[in-house]
Amino acid sequence: MEPFLEKFFTKVNNRMKEDKDISNYCKFDSQLLTLFTSSLYLAGLIASFFASFVTRAFGRKPSMLAGGAAFLVGAALNGAAFNIYMLIFGRVLLGIGVGFTNQAVPLYLSEMALPKYRGAISNGFQFSLGLGFLAANLTNYGSQKITGGWGWRVSLAMAALPASVLTLGALFLPETPNSIIQQNNDHEKAKRTLQRIRGTNDVQAELDDLIAASDVSKTMKNPYRNILRRNYRPQFVMSIAIPFFQIVTGINVIGFYAPILFRTIGLGESASLMCSVIMGVVGSSTSLIAVLVVDKVGRRFLLILGGVVMFFAQMTVGGVMAAKLGDHGGLDKVYGYVVLAMISVYIAGFGLSWGPLGFLIPSEIFPLEIRSAGQSISVAVNFLFTFLVGQTFLSMLCHFKSGIFFFFGGWAAVMTVFVYFLLPETKNIPIEQMERIWREDWFWKRIVGDNEDVISKMDGA
């Protein structure tokens, strides 16, 4: 919004309005502007390691409460900000909130869900993110029209609303049976919780799996060191590869800078915000589809389909902008619609695949003894590359120009090949029995072994 830019990023606003010689691709190239955006993810990166300790030592529920509290304070500071320092400090607190909730919520959902519904329930996390993205863009579109130039305060302060729902809602949630056993070894309480959430008294077999996993976890004093062991090599690789690939799809920079991107191709302020609303509708709709089908068609199919769709869309957008958008002026209306359509196709491909599954897969593949550490690494990698890509995107757009879309499209091809050859299917497998997929996989069984004795977790624990 122009009043927001005028108050906090005056140079960017003046350059956008007055500098007729600067390239379309370079109008918004500002390290201060990208620092405002990406500071949230740098803070989240650091907070995720503290969140790992809290989640393991005190439970999933306290981590959600801590994240919600940080969200509330950060939203209040951003809405009341009167200088750039207050603005960025508020973003840092929001980042701490994201760090704690991204650590705890996917674990909570995976541990509470039945195996046959785990994909759908865990994908609800990404579906909710999509709804939040849509709500944020609708808020921006509406508040941009407030006369007096203070609509940006409404946009930033409104983050307190979902933060309140998260914080208050977490108070009424039960702790997961896994966490109850891990914290205080209360088998009866864990059994009652299992019976309640499963809707049956016949939970002894699942409880036995949880107790056995907890006994193994207690022999491991340093889960970060143990996750480096050979028998956990597949999980360790996936804890890095899956969140890395999720970010280098380019989705976060499209989400962060969609209005800037649409202004780059010649659309006005209001039209750019409306295009972002359209993207939010597409993302939420496809995430809902993923919720409905993931436990039927499997994770691998959706990841491969989504990778192909994103590759096609990114290459098309890059081709149109390379051929039709110069350093000055805008795209013809027809080509502008093509870009909007292809970015929407790209958002659809992500919402169906790497969006929800990028959170689901890391949350379901770790055995209990390294689960908190593995999830922490996954969240930290996600934040690290979100920060790096977010901080460098506007500069990359200025230097690469349309080539930035070929860059992200190339990564879509790489990740699709990776999934095809190296990621086994995880649907319908109980979370405490997930290790067998690595022993049966054509590649990973060479590393972890193909029998129980080879991968005995007690060996060297």
Side-chain angles (χ1 to χ4, degrees):
M1 301 179 192
E2 290 189 13
F4 177 77
L5 293 176
E6 287 175 3
K7 184 169 183 64
F8 297 106
F9 305 98
T10 307
K11 290 182 180 179
V12 174
N13 192 56
N14 291 341
R15 188 168 59 201
M16 179 183 68
K17 286 182 172 181
E18 300 170 5
D19 194 337
K20 305 301 181 184
D21 297 324
I22 195 168
S23 168
N24 282 321
Y25 295 98
C26 300
K27 288 181 179 180
F28 296 92
D29 184 15
S30 165
Q31 289 301 302
L32 186 61
L33 179 59
T34 52
L35 179 62
F36 163 68
T37 301
S38 55
S39 58
L40 185 153
Y41 294 92
L42 181 61
L45 166 64
I46 297 170
S48 64
F49 292 103
F50 292 98
S52 173
F53 169 76
V54 173
T55 302
R56 179 179 173 87
F58 300 104
R60 286 54 168 152
K61 183 174 174 177
S63 282
M64 287 188 274
L65 289 170
F71 272 130
L72 283 169
V73 179
L77 284 175
N78 273 182
F82 54 82
N83 60 41
I84 190 66
Y85 304 105
M86 192 172 176
L87 191 71
I88 291 180
F89 183 58
R91 290 285 289 182
V92 167
L93 287 174
L94 291 176
I96 293 172
V98 174
F100 272 84
T101 52
N102 273 21
Q103 166 75 18
V105 173
L107 282 185
Y108 187 91
L109 295 174
S110 286
E111 290 180 346
M112 294 293 272
L114 279 167
K116 63 180 180 179
Y117 300 129
R118 189 175 62 245
I121 290 174
S122 295
N123 278 5
F125 183 70
Q126 175 64 25
F127 175 62
S128 298
L129 290 179
L131 289 179
F133 181 79
L134 174 59
N137 282 312
L138 285 170
T139 302
N140 288 342
Y141 183 74
S143 61
Q144 177 259 336
K145 300 181 182 299
I146 296 175
T147 56
W150 52 271
W152 61 268
R153 292 191 183 276
V154 175
S155 291
L156 296 180
M158 282 292 286
L161 180 60
S164 299
V165 174
L166 169 67
T167 308
L168 293 175
L171 290 173
F172 296 95
L173 292 175
E175 188 56 87
T176 71
N178 314 62
S179 186
I180 292 170
I181 294 174
Q182 189 177 46
Q183 289 174 66
N184 52 35
N185 208 32
D186 190 338
H187 296 180
E188 283 303 313
K189 183 178 180 181
K191 184 175 183 178
R192 290 195 300 271
T193 303
L194 266 179
Q195 290 172 334
R196 177 183 173 191
I197 64 178
R198 299 293 184 248
T200 177
N201 291 327
D202 186 16
V203 297
Q204 191 60 47
E206 184 176 1
L207 181 64
D208 289 343
D209 282 344
L210 298 183
I211 293 171
S214 178
D215 290 341
V216 172
S217 73
K218 290 173 182 177
T219 68
M220 295 190 176
K221 304 303 182 184
N222 190 333
Y224 286 103
R225 184 180 64 189
N226 281 288
I227 200 174
L228 298 175
R229 287 165 48 190
R230 185 183 181 90
N231 55 295
Y232 298 126
R233 192 67 47 78
Q235 294 95 327
F236 179 65
V237 170
M238 295 302 163
S239 73
I240 296 173
I242 296 297
F244 169 75
F245 285 139
Q246 186 187 43
I247 298 308
V248 295
T249 59
I251 188 63
N252 285 49
V253 294
I254 297 295
F256 295 162
Y257 301 118
I260 288 177
L261 177 63
F262 290 125
R263 296 199 73 171
T264 296
I265 65 176
L267 298 180
E269 179 182 355
S270 185
S272 296
L273 291 172
M274 177 50 69
C275 288
S276 296
V277 171
I278 293 172
M279 289 168 51
V281 172
V282 172
S284 299
S285 301
T286 51
S287 293
L288 179 58
I289 294 173
V291 167
L292 298 175
V293 304
V294 65
D295 289 313
K296 298 176 182 177
V297 303
R299 283 66 159 152
R300 278 169 47 83
F301 174 80
L302 291 180
L303 288 174
I304 292 170
L305 175 63
V308 171
V309 169
M310 288 189 290
F311 173 80
F312 169 76
Q314 293 273 39
M315 292 300 177
T316 303
V317 171
V320 169
M321 293 182 70
K324 299 298 180 179
L325 181 66
D327 284 329
H328 305 285
L331 282 176
D332 292 339
K333 184 176 291 187
V334 172
Y335 292 109
Y337 288 141
V338 170
V339 169
L340 174 59
M342 285 297 101
I343 290 180
S344 296
V345 168
Y346 163 79
I347 294 290
F350 181 84
L352 193 64
S353 60
W354 283 91
L357 299 180
F359 294 107
L360 167 60
I361 292 171
S363 73
E364 66 181 359
I365 62 172
F366 301 113
L368 183 62
E369 64 269 17
I370 60 166
R371 188 168 299 156
S372 184
Q375 182 69 7
S376 179
I377 292 171
S378 181
V379 171
V381 170
N382 184 292
F383 282 138
L384 174 62
F385 284 97
T386 299
F387 170 74
L388 293 176
V389 173
Q391 186 65 28
T392 58
F393 175 71
L394 293 181
S395 180
M396 291 171 67
L397 181 64
C398 179
H399 291 89
F400 287 11
K401 300 183 179 180
S402 59
I404 192 70
F405 295 97
F406 298 121
F407 173 79
F408 289 124
W411 279 113
V414 171
M415 66 184 68
T416 303
V417 173
F418 176 89
V419 168
Y420 183 82
F421 287 106
L422 295 177
L423 182 65
E425 183 56 65
T426 60
K427 73 170 183 177
N428 295 333
I429 299 176
I431 195 168
E432 301 301 344
Q433 298 177 22
M434 194 65 69
E435 287 187 4
R436 76 183 195 215
I437 67 172
W438 313 111
R439 302 195 303 272
E440 297 169 358
D441 182 75
W442 73 276
F443 175 79
W444 294 112
K445 69 181 181 182
R446 305 176 188 180
I447 296 175
V448 303
D450 57 3
N451 60 71
E452 294 283 353
D453 294 332
V454 174
I455 66 159
S456 172
K457 288 183 289 187
M458 297 301 295
D459 180 32

